[in-house]
Amino acid sequence: GHYEQWDFDKKSARVRPRSAAQLLSERLQRMRRPAEVVQAVVGAGQELGALALPVTKATLSRLAEPAAKGTSSSVVRDLDAARRRLVEVLPSICGPNNPSCPTGASLDSILAIRKAVQAMILAGSRNASDFEWNRLKDKVVQQLFFLGGERVKCAPEEVTYEVLTEVLAEPLDWDWASLVVPFCLAIRPVLAEPRPPGAYLNHLRIAAGLGERCALLAETIGRRELETMANANGG
């Protein structure tokens, strides 16, 4: 019924219309058949770029599922079109101007969505469109890395041991020229957490291997390891 198109605002005790993005998010959550999800994504307008983050992650996972054996070529084309359509609006969904997430996507969310994009691209059909898929992936993934870097600067408390590990798992994709100083500041509380000597040796190896651009990061991690080993030896 029409009640689905309205929200009750408790603060003002008023009824207000739900946005197109809210309605789309709710529709996608209710859908059970993959074909419904595909058609909803392909048929969406600008509201697709304002999806709620949890719905975005779930939809990415559903679209990454391979087409069943024997699926017609037209259905596969629709699936690839839905994948491409959602991937290309991800920077808008994760960016600071998404009304569904006024504070912007968290660093964890950005990294999780980046992983989902990789899975999405791998799930794409192996045909002549592979070149476009790869070009789209490179463009969107780079934008997600940029958003991740900006998030480190504005929300350093979101950098955890797991995030540090994930960032250094793909170190060449980050803009270390602008990120190394804020990242080193962000990991200070992480490095102060109680962990045994050697907990950061792999991180140190990767940072040192990046050369001059990550010399400060390698120095920061290395100092922590030396201090931890000295304390363990009673020094």
Side-chain angles (χ1 to χ4, degrees), residues 122-195:
L122 291 174
S125 60
R126 300 297 180 187
N127 54 32
S129 68
D130 278 358
F131 174 74
E132 283 107 18
W133 264 117
N134 287 328
R135 186 169 59 179
L136 176 62
K137 178 203 73 171
D138 291 344
K139 176 184 175 183
V140 171
V141 167
Q142 198 54 49
Q143 289 174 309
L144 291 174
F145 274 115
F146 171 78
L147 289 172
E150 293 301 296
R151 191 69 186 178
V152 168
K153 298 171 189 176
C154 71
E157 69 281 359
E158 293 179 358
V159 177
T160 62
Y161 179 83
E162 291 73 24
V163 166
L164 169 61
T165 302
E166 190 165 347
V167 166
L168 289 179
E170 295 183 279
L172 299 179
D173 293 304
W174 296 89
D175 178 18
W176 290 110
S178 66
L179 186 61
V180 67
V181 172
F183 195 71
C184 286
L185 293 173
I187 65 171
R188 281 183 178 176
V190 179
L191 298 178
E193 294 170 357
R195 284 193 172 81

Side-chain angles (χ1 to χ4, degrees), residues 64 83 115-126 133 137:
R83 289 166 172 164
K115 278 185 177 178
V117 171
Q118 300 283 18
M120 175 84 69
I121 300 300
L122 291 174
S125 60
R126 300 297 180 187
W133 264 117
K137 178 203 73 171

Side-chain angles (χ1 to χ4, degrees), residues 87-106:
V87 166
E88 60 191 7
V89 298
L90 288 176
S92 296
I93 293 173
C94 294
N97 298 319
N98 182 353
S100 298
C101 186
T103 60
S106 69

